[in-house]
C-alpha cells in the first residue's frame, strides 16, 4: 500500500463504521416501508441514524436531512430542484467560477433549459469576490450556490457573508460542504444556509450515500420520482446499511473533528514550509491561512503535474494533480485558471490531501522524495533555465 495522500478523492471507511453497518446487510435487512416488526426495526434505524447526520451539522430537525446516493445527486437535487420549483419567480442562478465539476455541469444543463447562470470570479487565492457577487444579484436571481471551500486549492470561502447577502436579497443559498466536512465543523444554526450537500465517504463512511440538508420550509422539486420516500424529495428504497454507516461516521466525526483538524494542520504546515524551502521556484496555490487544514496545493515551474505523479508513484506515494472528478480531461484546472494562473503554470500542480491515516513519517517521506523528483524532471526538461539547474544542484547537495 502506498503512502496515501489523496484523501479528497477517496477515504477509507472507518472500521467502527463497518462494524455498525454489517448487521444491516444480512440480519436487519428489512425495508422500512414494510409493516411487519422487521420493517419497524428498519424504520427505527433510519430515524436514529438520520438524527446523527442532523446532529453533525447541528440541524434542529432530523427531517431536514434528505438521504441521496451521494454528493453529485445532492447537488442535482439542490440546483435543479430549486430552479424548477422557483422558475416562476426568476430564472437567474449564481455559482462561483471554481465550483466542483458536478455544480459546473448542472449549471450548464440549467442554461440549456433556459436559465441564466452567472459565475462569480475569485481572487488570486481562490476566494470568492463578495463585491462582484452582490453586483451580480438581480430581481430575477433565485439561487446562489457556492461551496464552503475549494475541493482543489482548499481556500475557505466567506460563507457567513455570502449567506447574509442571500438573506438580505431573499435568495435561496446552497453550499456544497464536501471538501471541508472532515476538517471544519458545520453549524447550520450559526450559518443559516437553505441547502447543504454532504457526502458519507468524505467523513469516512461508505460510498454511494450522501445527503442534502433542506432548511425547514425550503421546497425543491424532486428529480427522482417513485414511491415517495424521503418525504417525496427522493424516491427509492432507502439504503439502510449505507445510511447507518453515514450516521455512525457523522457521530464519530463530530466527536473528533477539532482534534483531528488541529493535528492535520501541524502536518500540513510542516509540509508547506519544507517544500517551499527546499524546492526552488515552488509556490503554494490557494490562501496561505484561509485554507483547509488537510490541504496543500503546490505548483512548480518547468514541471508537468502528471510527470510528478508518476515520479511519486515509483516511490509508492499516491498524490493528485487536482480534482479526481476532472482528472480524465487534459484541460488545465478551471480553478487555477480562474485564480489567474497561466495554462503552463496550472499544468505544474500537485495536490496533497491528508486524512486520519496520515502520519508525520508520510510527510517526511514526501519531503525527502519530492525535491529529488523535481530536480530530475527539471534536468530532463529543455525549458529549464541553466541557472535554475545550478540552483537546484546547490539546494539538493
Ligand atoms: N462535491 C465535491 C466538493 C466533491 O469533492 C465531490 C467528489 N468527492 C463531489 C461533490 C461529488 O461526490 P460524489 O462523486 O460522491 O457524488
Amino acid at each position: 500500500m502506498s503512502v496515501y495522500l489523496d484523501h479528497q478523492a477517496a477515504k477509507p471507511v472507518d472500521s467502527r463504521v463497518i462494524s455498525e453497518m454489517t448487521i444491516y446487510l444480512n440480519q436487519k435487512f428489512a425495508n422500512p416501508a414494510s409493516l411487519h416488526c422487521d420493517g419497524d426495526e428498519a424504520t427505527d434505524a433510519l430515524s436514529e441514524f438520520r438524527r446523527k447526520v442532523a446532529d453533525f451539522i447541528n440541524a434542529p430537525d432530523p427531517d431536514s436531512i434528505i438521504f441521496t446516493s451521494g454528493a453529485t445527486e445532492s447537488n442535482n437535487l439542490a440546483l435543479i430542484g430549486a430552479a424548477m420549483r422557483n422558475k416562476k419567480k426568476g430564472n437567474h442562478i449564481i455559482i462561483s467560477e471554481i465550483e466542483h465539476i458536478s455544480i459546473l455541469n448542472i449549471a450548464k444543463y440549467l442554461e440549456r433549459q433556459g436559465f441564466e447562470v452567472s459565475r462569480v470570479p475569485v481572487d488570486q487565492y481562490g476566494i470568492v469576490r463578495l463585491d462582484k457577487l452582490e453586483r451580480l444579484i438581480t430581481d430575477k436571481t433565485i439561487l446562489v450556490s457556492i461551496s464552503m471551500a475549494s475541493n482543489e486549492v482548499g481556500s475557505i470561502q466567506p460563507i457567513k457573508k455570502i449567506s447574509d447577502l442571500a438573506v438580505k436579497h431573499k435568495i435561496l443559498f446552497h453550499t456544497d460542504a464536501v471538501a471541508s466536512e472532515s476538517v471544519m465543523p458545520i453549524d447550520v444554526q450559526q450559518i443559516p444556509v437553505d441547502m447543504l450537500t454532504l457526502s458519507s465517504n468524505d467523513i469516512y463512511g461508505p460510498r454511494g450515500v450522501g445527503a442534502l440538508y433542506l432548511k425547514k420550509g425550503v421546497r425543491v422539486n424532486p428529480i427522482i420520482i417513485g414511491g415517495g420516500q424521503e418525504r417525496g424529495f427522493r424516491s427509492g428504497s432507502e439504503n439502510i446499511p449505507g445510511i447507518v454507516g453515514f450516521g455512525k461516521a457523522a457521530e464519530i466525526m463530530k466527536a473528533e473533528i477539532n482534534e483531528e483538524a488541529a493535528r492535520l494542520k501541524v502536518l500540513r504546515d510542516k509540509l508547506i514550509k519544507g517544500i517551499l524551502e527546499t524546492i526552488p521556484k515552488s509556490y503554494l496555490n490557494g490562501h496561505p491561512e484561509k485554507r483547509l487544514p488537510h490541504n496543500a496545493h503546490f505548483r512548480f515551474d518547468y514541471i508537468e503535474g502528471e510527470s510528478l505523479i508518476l515520479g511519486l508513484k515509483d516511490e509508492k506515494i499516491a498524490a493528485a494533480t487536482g480534482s479526481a472528478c476532472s482528472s480524465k480531461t487534459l484541460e488545465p484546472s478551471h480553478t487555477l485558471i480562474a485564480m489567474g494562473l497561466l495554462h503552463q503554470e496550472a499544468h505544474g500542480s500537485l495536490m496533497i490531501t491528508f486524512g486520519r491515516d496520515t502520519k508525520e513519517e508520510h510527510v517526511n517521506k514526501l519531503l525527502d522524495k519530492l525535491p529529488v523528483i523535481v530536480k530530475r524532471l527539471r534536468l530532463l526538461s529543455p525549458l529549464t533555465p541553466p541557472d535554475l539547474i545550478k540552483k537546484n544542484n546547490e539546494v539538493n547537495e
Side-chain angles (χ1 to χ4, degrees):
M1 180 77 192
S2 321
V3 166
Y4 185 84
L5 302 174
D6 189 19
H7 289 81
Q8 193 67 57
K11 293 190 178 69
V13 180
D14 190 294
S15 51
R16 296 166 285 181
V17 167
I18 299 174
S19 341
E20 193 84 37
M21 286 173 70
T22 316
I23 185 172
Y24 290 93
L25 287 164
N26 59 0
Q27 291 175 46
K28 298 185 180 182
F29 56 83
N31 190 322
S34 303
L35 298 178
H36 45 63
C37 306
D38 295 353
D40 288 349
E41 222 170 43
T43 304
D44 290 348
L46 191 54
S47 315
E48 182 188 341
F49 289 87
R50 191 189 301 280
R51 157 61 72 194
K52 291 185 198 297
V53 175
D55 284 349
F56 175 57
I57 57 169
N58 203 23
D61 181 5
D63 280 347
S64 59
I65 300 296
I66 310 299
F67 286 116
T68 64
S69 65
T72 300
E73 188 191 323
S74 300
N75 286 342
N76 273 267
L77 179 57
L79 271 74
I80 300 175
M84 295 306 175
R85 181 84 187 190
N86 293 289
K87 66 178 177 207
K88 288 210 180 85
K89 284 193 205 148
N91 70 340
H92 181 229
I93 292 163
I94 302 176
I95 62 171
S96 86
E97 279 188 341
I98 64 162
E99 291 305 303
H100 182 263
I101 192 165
S102 59
I103 300 275
L104 295 179
N105 282 338
I106 297 164
K108 281 191 199 152
Y109 167 80
L110 287 171
E111 281 176 324
R112 293 195 293 274
Q113 305 305 309
F115 289 88
E116 269 178 41
V117 179
S118 301
R119 292 159 182 85
V120 57
V122 294
D123 65 15
Q124 58 172 318
Y125 297 116
I127 308 252
V128 163
R129 296 275 308 269
L130 282 175
D131 52 332
K132 302 253 182 195
L133 173 59
E134 183 144 32
R135 269 184 259 144
L136 286 172
I137 297 173
T138 71
D139 56 357
K140 292 269 180 292
T141 312
I142 48 174
L143 171 69
V144 175
S145 176
I146 292 174
S147 299
M148 283 260 177
S150 161
N151 63 301
E152 281 187 64
V153 294
S155 307
I156 298 171
Q157 303 301 342
I159 288 297
K160 174 80 174 86
K161 291 192 176 135
I162 300 172
S163 155
D164 289 346
L165 266 185
V167 171
K168 180 172 147 197
H169 293 274
K170 299 193 174 57
I171 303 165
L172 286 175
F173 177 41
H174 165 252
T175 188
D176 178 336
V178 170
S180 61
E181 65 183 46
S182 67
V183 283
M184 272 171 58
I186 303 169
D187 185 339
V188 293
Q189 296 189 50
Q190 288 291 317
I191 299 179
V193 296
D194 295 299
M195 299 181 277
L196 181 140
T197 291
L198 290 172
S199 136
S200 155
N201 184 240
D202 281 81
I203 52 170
Y204 305 89
R207 278 200 222 168
V209 57
L212 181 68
Y213 160 77
L214 269 188
K215 191 166 94 183
K216 205 172 168 89
V218 173
R219 289 279 173 274
V220 293
N221 283 2
I223 51 170
I224 296 181
I225 319 287
Q229 290 89 344
E230 297 297 290
R231 298 195 291 129
F233 287 115
R234 201 283 185 179
S235 288
S237 299
E238 299 86 347
N239 169 7
I240 299 293
I243 289 169
V244 165
F246 184 10
K248 183 68 188 172
E251 181 181 60
I252 297 169
M253 184 52 77
K254 192 174 173 74
E256 298 180 355
I257 193 164
N258 287 325
E259 208 178 312
E260 176 64 355
R263 184 184 79 86
L264 294 179
K265 187 169 179 294
V266 172
L267 295 182
R268 180 204 69 185
D269 290 345
K270 175 172 182 174
L271 178 69
I272 293 176
K273 190 165 179 283
I275 296 290
L276 299 184
E277 274 176 12
T278 52
I279 305 185
K281 300 269 180 205
S282 61
Y283 312 88
L284 181 71
N285 291 324
H287 201 282
E289 286 108 38
K290 291 180 201 156
R291 71 181 305 125
L292 295 174
H294 68 320
N295 173 300
H297 198 295
F298 303 99
R299 68 176 198 280
F300 306 93
D301 283 351
Y302 316 110
I303 296 277
E304 282 279 324
E306 282 74 15
S307 329
L308 266 186
I309 299 302
L310 295 179
L312 289 168
K313 194 174 181 177
D314 289 341
E315 298 292 347
K316 296 230 170 310
I317 299 175
T321 52
S323 165
C325 302
S326 319
S327 69
K328 297 272 150 45
T329 131
L330 292 175
E331 291 297 306
S333 143
H334 65 281
T335 301
L336 298 177
I337 297 299
M339 287 160 58
L341 295 194
L342 301 172
H343 279 222
Q344 66 268 30
E345 290 173 328
H347 273 303
S349 286
L350 175 70
M351 173 170 148
I352 302 292
T353 44
F354 294 155
R356 273 192 193 140
D357 50 329
T358 309
K359 300 188 178 57
E360 190 166 10
E361 68 209 54
H362 300 156
V363 176
N364 292 342
K365 179 165 178 185
L366 184 61
L367 283 173
D368 195 31
K369 302 292 178 193
L370 192 61
V372 182
I373 297 170
V374 169
K375 181 178 164 184
R376 194 177 64 228
L377 291 172
R378 280 182 176 160
L379 277 174
L380 293 174
S381 167
L383 298 174
T384 315
D387 61 326
L388 180 60
I389 294 184
K390 193 163 164 273
K391 199 166 170 200
N392 235 324
N393 287 339
E394 283 161 14
V395 171
N396 291 311
E397 268 154 17

